[in-house]
Amino acid sequence: MEAQSENRAVTRARGRVRKQSEKKKPHPKRPYLGREKELEVQAIAPSKNGELTIGDIARARGREVFPLHFLVECASGYALFLARGINDIDMNKYQPAEEYINRSDTPFELKAYLPFSSLGEALLQMNAISNSSVTEMLIKFIQKNFEPPFHRHVLTTADPVLGEKIVNNVRLSDHSSLLTSSVMRGLREKIDKLIGLQPGELDKAQRQLAHLYKDQKRTILDTKSPVPVSSSSFLQEQVMVVPHRFEGFFNAKGKKNILCTRNLVPGEALYGEKLIHVQNEDGTEVEYRVCDPRRSKLGAAILGGVTNIWIKPGSRVMYVGKVCGVTVSDLSDIVGLDGLVYVVGNSDDVTHMEGKRPNVVTIIENDCYYCHYRMVLGMVDAVFGEIDHPLGEIYRLPTKVYRDGRFIVNNVHFYLKTGGHYMICTKADNMNSKGHIIFSSGDINREFKLLQTVPLDLVEGAYFIDIGGYRMQPE
């Protein structure tokens, strides 16, 4: 027995020695296939004045600093810009992108602009952009405006997936960071002026393309036919209508004060609300819609004591989340024909009113990446978001509710102008479940400033509306 035990011990020891010797054998080197050698990554040395720039990071990684270009896709065509001096921005400063964009000298140089020849061509490119795909037209545009070797040029796009595909096709270098994303926002805010379009030309192209894109999406989704508009009746008592302190709203003074908006589609209402006819001294008539605070969340917020709604005639407003036709009709009346209401979502009554309200643009998307409709949705002055669920603590949210909240946050980040405002309406079962909680995760809460919370006591259900500002200037 002792001999057998000794033999087994010797066998185990030999096995361990054999395994150790195998581990120590060097792995055979693979043949060199012409790839560039790995550059040694060095620590980023601070500059003399403590700045940290894109150029500093590139040099610390042993790379050359190449010119940085921005690709902007809009409803009228493709635009390519050279960002002059962007590699020298100090990223340690507060809002460095804003300082760069607002420089006295123009930081962006238009390198090339390729207008679409027709609405059909614009739709073809829009379909590709919405899928993060690269068309032959876009590839030729990029190749034409960069001289080889292509890797000595850096390209930034709004959609990183699309940017990666362009890089793989053309072999450009690419760069994406929070700084470049913020600069892209500023570039998109001024795109029509930088391209040299006439006032209103880009808005017109966006509306036409959005309507065509929407009709195509509705065919694919096979949604139900729009529901007819509800009937309404006229207010019988004599009233005098005067402007409200919030532009776009009015007070009808009679037996009691009634909140109303000027009806953009005379003779029609959405949910059977009363209509008011007022005859002017010159004989012309104006029709107003009564804003029922039991149905209208904006009306309930005004009667609930909101200090400012930040939406007025001429505003560009994005409405995202749980789509409500009452809210859309109110927004449409307030902004008037000089404004726009972008509705991201699908609703039959909204689709019906869109045909009669030219300032309503519907973007039908189901769980879409927020930047996929950037060709038809421009930068906006305000965002109205709606979530029809109590939120609770942000880290305990159900998956769908959390996703809905993040979708609103991402849209605000991408489309709301610097210094713009947002209104988030949600059901709330306690003081910790109101809409502003969707902005409380990570570092993004520094960019969102809550200004006021108003309970919507007149609306059935426990609703709150949070009003805030985005990237406000420090006081």
Side-chain angles (χ1 to χ4, degrees):
M1 291 292 293
E2 292 180 1
Q4 291 178 358
S5 299
E6 184 177 352
N7 290 336
R8 284 196 295 269
V10 171
T11 302
R12 287 195 296 269
R14 287 175 177 173
R16 286 195 296 270
V17 171
R18 184 168 58 252
K19 289 180 180 180
Q20 291 176 0
S21 63
E22 289 175 356
K23 288 181 181 179
K24 291 181 180 178
K25 290 181 180 179
H27 192 278
K29 292 184 178 181
R30 295 180 180 178
Y32 180 65
L33 299 179
R35 295 174 298 179
E36 294 184 3
K37 295 181 180 180
E38 292 288 335
L39 295 172
E40 183 181 353
V41 178
Q42 306 171 7
I44 302 176
S47 59
K48 294 180 179 179
N49 55 5
E51 291 183 353
L52 178 62
T53 68
I54 296 176
D56 292 334
I57 296 174
R59 285 186 287 270
R61 292 174 176 172
R63 300 173 182 170
E64 291 186 62
V65 182
F66 299 131
L68 185 56
H69 297 79
F70 285 77
L71 173 68
V72 181
E73 313 92 342
C74 55
S76 60
Y78 290 125
L80 186 65
F81 291 90
L82 170 64
R84 296 181 297 196
I86 193 171
N87 289 319
D88 299 322
I89 297 178
D90 182 8
M91 293 185 289
N92 288 326
K93 291 184 177 180
Y94 177 75
Q95 295 185 347
E98 300 301 322
E99 182 177 324
Y100 173 77
I101 294 166
N102 296 318
R103 280 179 6 187
S104 57
D105 60 322
T106 305
F108 302 113
E109 176 185 333
L110 179 62
K111 188 168 184 178
Y113 173 59
L114 178 62
F116 299 135
S117 60
S118 65
L119 190 57
E121 185 176 75
L123 180 62
L124 180 66
Q125 301 303 313
M126 173 71 190
N127 287 331
I129 292 296
S130 66
N131 293 312
S132 298
S133 300
V134 184
T135 63
E136 184 179 354
M137 179 180 180
L138 179 56
I139 290 297
K140 288 183 177 179
F141 173 67
I142 296 295
Q143 290 176 331
K144 181 180 178 181
N145 291 287
F146 287 110
E147 296 179 357
F150 293 117
H151 74 274
R152 297 185 65 83
H153 306 278
V154 183
L155 184 69
T156 292
T157 59
D159 181 358
V161 178
L162 179 67
E164 183 178 354
K165 291 181 178 179
I166 293 175
V167 166
N168 291 335
N169 275 273
V170 187
R171 301 301 179 187
L172 292 167
S173 298
D174 68 324
H175 178 85
S176 179
S177 65
L178 292 176
L179 174 64
T180 55
S181 297
S182 295
V183 172
M184 178 69 80
R185 280 176 42 84
L187 184 55
R188 292 179 63 244
E189 286 186 24
K190 304 176 180 180
I191 185 65
D192 53 343
K193 296 178 181 178
L194 293 172
I195 293 176
L197 300 178
Q198 296 297 320
E201 187 177 347
L202 183 57
D203 279 347
K204 181 180 178 181
Q206 287 175 339
R207 293 190 200 200
Q208 291 176 336
L209 182 56
H211 291 319
L212 192 61
Y213 183 66
K214 179 263 301 180
D215 292 341
Q216 172 192 257
K217 293 288 287 189
R218 286 193 68 83
T219 302
I220 295 173
L221 295 174
D222 193 24
T223 56
K224 297 182 295 182
S225 300
V227 296
V229 175
S230 303
S231 60
S232 60
S233 59
F234 292 100
L235 195 68
Q236 300 300 319
E237 62 180 281
Q238 293 292 323
V239 297
M240 180 178 65
V241 178
V242 297
H244 192 273
R245 66 189 181 95
F246 295 140
E247 290 185 72
F249 280 98
F250 298 86
N251 273 331
K253 296 186 175 182
K255 294 179 181 179
K256 58 181 181 179
N257 288 344
I258 302 173
L259 188 67
C260 57
T261 60
R262 185 167 182 171
N263 194 1
L264 199 66
V265 187
E268 294 192 347
L270 180 66
Y271 52 94
E273 64 270 28
K274 299 284 186 181
L275 301 179
I276 302 173
H277 266 186
V278 175
Q279 188 169 11
N280 296 324
E281 294 180 356
D282 60 0
T284 59
E285 286 190 346
V286 180
E287 184 178 286
Y288 298 90
R289 294 171 55 232
V290 172
C291 190
D292 186 352
R294 295 169 298 179
R295 301 287 301 275
S296 169
K297 297 183 177 69
L298 279 171
I302 291 174
L303 296 181
V306 66
T307 57
N308 201 329
I309 61 173
W310 305 104
I311 300 171
K312 59 185 180 180
S315 294
R316 302 296 195 262
V317 182
M318 180 183 190
Y319 179 33
V320 59
K322 179 69 175 179
V323 178
C324 173
V326 177
T327 303
V328 175
S329 65
D330 287 342
L331 292 171
S332 173
D333 282 348
I334 295 168
V335 303
L337 292 176
D338 292 332
L340 279 174
V341 180
Y342 298 100
V343 182
V344 180
N346 186 28
S347 171
D348 289 336
D349 54 357
V350 172
T351 301
H352 178 76
M353 77 172 69
E354 181 189 27
K356 299 182 179 181
R357 292 176 175 264
N359 63 354
V360 175
V361 178
T362 304
I363 300 169
I364 301 176
E365 295 292 348
N366 289 342
D367 297 328
C368 184
Y369 189 38
Y370 58 89
C371 74
H372 279 175
Y373 36 88
R374 61 188 179 277
M375 283 181 64
V376 296
L377 205 161
M379 302 299 287
V380 298
D381 304 297
V383 173
F384 192 102
E386 193 160 348
I387 303 176
D388 198 27
H389 307 278
L391 293 178
E393 297 295 336
I394 192 71
Y395 50 84
R396 296 177 183 173
L397 294 181
T399 302
K400 183 181 184 305
V401 182
Y402 180 80
R403 186 175 66 242
D404 291 345
R406 290 300 307 171
F407 187 66
I408 293 176
V409 172
N410 289 333
N411 275 281
V412 173
H413 258 304
F414 198 83
Y415 294 105
L416 184 58
K417 292 180 179 178
T418 298
H421 294 82
Y422 58 88
M423 305 177 74
I424 307 297
C425 180
T426 183
K427 283 187 175 180
D429 50 8
N430 60 68
M431 291 302 292
N432 294 321
S433 64
K434 299 188 294 297
H436 190 73
I437 197 172
I438 65 176
F439 301 118
S440 63
S441 61
D443 295 331
I444 62 173
N445 61 347
R446 295 183 302 170
E447 300 183 316
F448 297 89
K449 182 179 180 181
L450 179 63
L451 302 176
Q452 189 181 14
T453 297
V454 178
L456 306 183
D457 296 329
L458 298 176
V459 179
E460 183 179 354
Y463 282 93
F464 280 81
I465 191 165
D466 282 352
I467 301 97
Y470 178 60
R471 293 190 176 183
M472 309 298 290
Q473 292 296 325
E475 298 178 356

